[in-house]
């Protein structure tokens, strides 16, 4: 009873923080002609309510795709339609065809913010709570409320969902998928992930760990017996889920192809998402960071960019996927979600700065296992979105939520006391280096010093970005600095997570439970 009382307080605190942030500005407020993501979501409600389904993804006189045309999978469109139906009952002007473009009012802002709040309350927050209670470690069970508090106070998701404006549904569905798999409910886990993927195509970042983990389980059970039955059930479940989600668009092949073209606009090129403009970059991935020195966009064709990014992404995540398939374990699965999503973010085609959330949420899932590194990563991930947050007028919310999150993690997990090789899950790796690297004994002190240096640098850059005018010759000095520093952090984190995965001896013990 006591732990549920603590969890109730945790949820109320998380909801209070979210609602407070939502009272501030949002993406594109008062900035015609395109406004921002808030207007995009409102416009999708306008389109889905007023036009027949066959026109949702097509360019017509009533649906100008250049003005926030739908570019997410069908589940996003259905969700927009449901929100539009409710909006119509309250005030038809909010979704009136053509005339509602750029609509801004306090009642409408309250409605839109409430829809995000409800999505959080119905999908994302329950998944976090149940996940924290599902953790099998005794110590973690005692700290379920503490773990949930740190996850729910993660500033990146709060600022993007309730500040910038975005729905947490795809991440929530993915989290339900992880939760179901932790109970060996593989079919329900498959359904949940299919919903996530059909809400946002960026969930492809998580697709390989889900695929490799489930395939590995089937291999372990034997593809001539129970494994084949499980594989058939999972395949059937996935096909049925996709068929149901895409059924209204299956009237002809052109409908399906048009939706796919909207979801994967390959012709836009590698740098489409670098703030939708040419470099200098404001995105902390390798391509935008390299563009400061090498103008890849000018010397490589879009087709070659696609092939290059695919090759590098594939090679970077291959070792993790092989390890997970050969030695499937729930722990390995969660770490693989982090590693693979980070590889996609750093190296893949057309990335948005908000895509770092696809890495951050899996990191939240292992915050009880590696609290120091998880806290560090989650701080850097929020910092990497600083140019976007400043653009949206979220500086105060950014500063307060970052400090609150860091304070909660330090108080809850005593992170500075958990920097040994064993605490960082690096003991197997350290044993392999024994006698070769003399400085490994002072590793905890080095890691703590690097963390403090990193946080100090992020703090200074945040202050300078907000308060100091850059030199006239270098107007994008601060955004570029934020992107490059964040990218360097992410590259080091990618190496770290891969080392943990590849040298993990716990995975081989966990296999026995699966087989």
């Amino acid at each position: 009873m006591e732990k549920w009382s603590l969890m109730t307080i945790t949820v109320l605190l998380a909801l209070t923080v979210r609602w407070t942030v939502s009272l501030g500005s949002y993406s594109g407020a008062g900035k015609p002609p395109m406004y921002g993501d808030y207007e995009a979501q409102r416009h999708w409600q306008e389109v889905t309510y007023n036009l027949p389904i066959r026109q949702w993804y097509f360019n017509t006189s009533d649906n100008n795709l250049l003005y926030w045309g739908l570019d997410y999978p069908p589940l996003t469109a259905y969700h927009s339609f449901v929100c539009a139906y409710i909006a119509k009952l309250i005030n038809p002007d909010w979704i009136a065809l053509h005339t509602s473009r750029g609509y801004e009012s306090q009642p409408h802002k309250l409605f839109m913010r409430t829809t995000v709040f409800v999505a959080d309350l119905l999908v994302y927050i329950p998944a976090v709570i149940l996940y924290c209670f599902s953790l099998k470690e005794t110590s973690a069970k005692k700290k379920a409320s503490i773990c949930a508090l740190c996850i729910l106070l993660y500033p990146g998701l709060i600022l993007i969902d309730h500040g910038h404006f975005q729905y947490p549904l795809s991440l929530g569905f993915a989290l339900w998928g992880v939760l179901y798999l932790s109970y060996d409910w593989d079919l329900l886990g498959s359904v949940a992930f299919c919903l996530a993927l059909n809400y946002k195509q960026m969930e492809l970042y998580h697709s390989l760990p889900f695929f490799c983990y489930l395939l590995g389980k089937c291999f372990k059970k034997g593809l001539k017996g129970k494994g084949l039955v499980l594989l058939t059930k999972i395949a059937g479940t996935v096909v049925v889920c996709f068929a149901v989600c895409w059924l209204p668009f299956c009237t002809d092949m052109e409908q399906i192809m048009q939706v796919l073209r909207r979801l994967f606009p390959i012709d836009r090129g590698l740098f489409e998402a670098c703030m939708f403009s040419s470099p200098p970059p404001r995105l902390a991935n390798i391509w935008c960071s390299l563009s400061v020195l090498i103008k890849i966009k000018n010397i490589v064709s879009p087709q070659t960019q696609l092939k290059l990014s695919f090759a590098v992404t594939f090679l970077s995540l291959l070792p993790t996927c092989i390890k997970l398939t050969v030695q499937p374990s729930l722990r390995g699965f969660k770490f693989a979600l982090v590693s693979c999503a980070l590889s996609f973010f750093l190296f893949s085609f057309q990335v948005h700065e908000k895509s770092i959330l696809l890495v951050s949420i899996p990191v939240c899932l292992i915050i009880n296992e590696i609290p120091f590194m998880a806290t560090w990563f989650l701080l850097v991930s929020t910092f990497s979105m600083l140019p976007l947050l400043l653009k949206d007028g979220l500086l105060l919310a950014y500063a307060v939520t970052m400090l609150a999150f860091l304070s909660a993690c330090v108080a809850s997990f005593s992170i500075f006391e958990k920097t040994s090789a064993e605490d960082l899950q690096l003991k197997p790796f350290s044993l392999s280096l024994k006698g070769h690297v003399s400085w490994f004994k002072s590793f905890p002190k080095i890691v703590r010093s690097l963390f403090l240096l990193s946080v100090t640098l992020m703090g200074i850059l945040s202050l300078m970005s907000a308060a100091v005018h850059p030199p006239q010759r270098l107007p994008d000095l601060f955004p570029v600095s934020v992107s490059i520093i964040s990218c360097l952090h992410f590259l080091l984190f990618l190496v770290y997570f891969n080392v943990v995965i590849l040298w993990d001896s716990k995975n081989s013990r966990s296999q026995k439970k699966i087989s």
Side-chain angles (χ1 to χ4, degrees):
M1 193 69 183
E2 181 184 351
K3 68 180 181 180
W4 280 107
S5 299
L6 287 172
M7 189 61 78
T8 301
I9 295 171
T10 296
V11 171
L12 289 175
L13 177 59
L15 292 176
T16 301
V17 172
R18 281 160 165 74
W19 191 252
T20 303
V21 170
S22 73
L23 296 176
S25 183
Y26 54 82
S27 171
K31 296 177 181 177
M34 293 300 290
Y35 301 92
D37 280 6
Y38 175 95
E39 167 62 10
Q41 297 285 350
R42 188 216 59 78
H43 180 64
W44 294 345
Q45 294 174 19
E46 171 194 344
V47 167
T48 54
Y49 188 85
N50 291 288
L51 301 180
I53 288 181
R54 64 179 180 275
Q55 293 183 24
W56 286 0
Y57 290 91
F58 280 89
N59 193 59
T60 66
S61 57
D62 290 326
N63 185 23
N64 180 7
L65 293 182
L66 295 178
Y67 184 81
W68 297 118
L70 255 173
D71 53 5
Y72 284 144
L75 214 56
T76 291
Y78 304 149
H79 176 229
S80 296
F81 177 81
V82 172
C83 291
Y85 184 83
I86 299 171
K88 178 79 172 180
L89 298 176
I90 301 172
N91 186 343
D93 291 341
W94 292 350
I95 56 163
L97 191 62
H98 302 309
T99 59
S100 63
R101 204 175 261 202
Y103 192 101
E104 293 180 314
S105 70
Q106 281 302 316
H108 183 254
K109 177 184 174 183
L110 178 62
F111 167 75
M112 293 290 281
R113 292 298 198 192
T114 302
T115 59
V116 179
F117 200 75
V118 170
D120 229 351
L121 200 55
L122 293 180
V123 178
Y124 180 74
I125 291 178
V128 170
I129 294 169
L130 292 175
Y131 172 79
C132 291
F133 279 135
S134 75
L135 296 173
K136 293 180 172 59
E137 299 91 342
T138 305
S139 58
K141 274 199 169 183
K142 292 178 181 176
K143 294 182 178 180
S145 298
I146 292 174
C147 187
L149 176 65
C150 291
I151 295 174
L152 292 175
L153 285 183
Y154 167 55
L157 192 63
I158 294 174
L159 293 169
I160 293 300
D161 286 353
H162 299 273
H164 175 82
F165 199 89
Q166 181 176 278
Y167 291 100
L169 290 175
S170 63
L171 293 171
F173 287 136
L175 187 48
W176 277 104
V178 175
L179 180 64
Y180 287 137
L181 293 188
S182 69
Y183 285 106
D184 287 325
W185 298 342
D186 298 328
L187 299 186
L188 285 175
S190 301
V191 170
F193 185 68
C194 285
L195 293 177
L197 192 54
N198 279 288
Y199 193 89
K200 279 191 177 178
Q201 65 270 35
M202 283 81 80
E203 277 298 326
L204 284 169
Y205 282 34
H206 300 147
S207 59
L208 282 174
F210 271 88
F211 174 79
C212 292
Y213 176 64
L214 291 171
L215 183 63
K217 287 186 72 171
C218 294
F219 284 155
K220 289 298 174 183
K221 290 177 182 292
L223 284 183
K224 292 183 179 179
K226 293 181 179 179
L228 181 60
V229 174
L230 178 60
L231 183 62
T232 304
K233 288 181 178 179
I234 292 172
T237 300
V238 171
V239 170
V240 169
C241 284
F242 270 81
V244 171
C245 289
W246 285 72
L247 188 61
F249 300 94
C250 294
T251 52
D252 60 73
M253 185 55 67
E254 181 56 27
Q255 276 280 340
I256 297 173
M257 293 307 298
Q258 175 63 11
V259 177
L260 291 176
R261 282 192 290 267
R262 293 297 299 164
L263 301 188
F264 304 104
I266 293 172
D267 293 339
R268 294 180 187 175
L270 186 63
F271 294 93
E272 166 65 18
C274 293
M275 295 300 289
F276 306 101
S277 62
S278 60
R282 299 184 186 182
L283 170 66
N285 83 341
I286 194 69
W287 307 118
C288 287
S289 297
L290 280 176
S291 69
V292 175
L293 301 174
I294 305 170
K295 305 302 179 185
I296 300 174
K297 184 178 182 179
N298 298 331
I299 61 177
V300 179
S301 67
Q303 291 75 22
T304 305
Q305 292 171 22
L306 175 62
K307 294 174 184 176
L308 178 63
S309 66
F310 175 81
V312 177
T313 304
F314 178 76
L315 290 174
S316 68
L317 53 77
L318 186 61
T320 295
C321 290
I322 292 174
K323 177 74 179 286
L324 184 60
T325 306
V326 175
Q327 297 180 354
S329 71
L330 185 62
R331 182 176 183 278
F333 167 61
K334 289 189 286 187
F335 274 86
L337 285 171
V338 176
S339 177
C340 290
L342 189 51
S343 289
F344 270 105
F345 178 82
L346 284 170
F347 305 119
S348 68
F349 199 74
Q350 292 183 5
V351 178
H352 194 282
E353 58 263 64
K354 293 183 295 184
S355 299
I356 195 62
L357 297 177
L358 292 157
V359 191
S360 300
I361 298 307
V363 172
C364 287
L365 301 183
I366 54 176
I367 196 169
N368 63 301
E369 296 189 50
I370 47 167
F372 180 83
M373 294 301 283
T375 300
W376 192 355
F377 180 90
L378 294 172
L379 289 172
V380 175
S381 69
T382 306
F383 169 73
S384 73
M385 297 184 286
L386 180 63
L388 177 66
L389 299 174
L390 289 178
K391 184 181 176 184
D392 292 339
L394 295 169
L395 174 63
L396 180 60
Y398 163 81
V400 173
T401 53
M402 285 278 274
L403 288 172
F405 174 74
L406 178 58
S407 301
C409 291
V410 171
S412 302
F413 293 109
S414 304
I415 60 174
F416 293 112
E417 299 173 12
K418 297 180 178 179
T419 56
S420 67
E422 187 172 2
D423 289 324
L424 299 181
Q425 310 289 330
L426 291 173
K427 191 170 183 179
F429 179 68
S430 66
L431 290 174
S432 68
L433 293 179
K434 195 172 182 180
H436 300 283
V437 182
S438 58
W439 53 263
F440 217 89
K441 291 181 180 178
S442 57
F443 182 72
K445 187 176 180 180
I446 294 173
V447 170
R448 286 195 295 268
S449 299
L450 288 173
F451 174 83
L452 293 174
L453 177 63
S454 171
V455 171
T456 302
L457 184 59
M458 287 190 288
I460 292 172
L461 256 179
S462 296
L463 286 172
M464 293 182 72
S465 298
V468 178
H469 291 289
Q472 286 188 347
R473 292 187 304 108
L474 301 168
D476 292 289
L477 174 64
F478 298 136
V480 169
S481 299
V482 169
S483 299
I484 293 175
I485 289 170
S486 300
C487 182
L488 290 174
H489 276 83
F490 293 146
L491 285 169
L492 292 174
F493 278 116
L494 181 64
V495 172
Y496 164 75
F497 285 119
N498 275 283
V499 166
V500 172
I501 292 167
L502 298 178
W503 268 265
D504 184 19
S505 58
K506 294 181 182 179
N507 280 351
S508 57
R509 294 196 295 270
S510 301
Q511 287 181 82
K512 296 176 182 177
K513 298 179 182 178
I514 295 173
S515 54

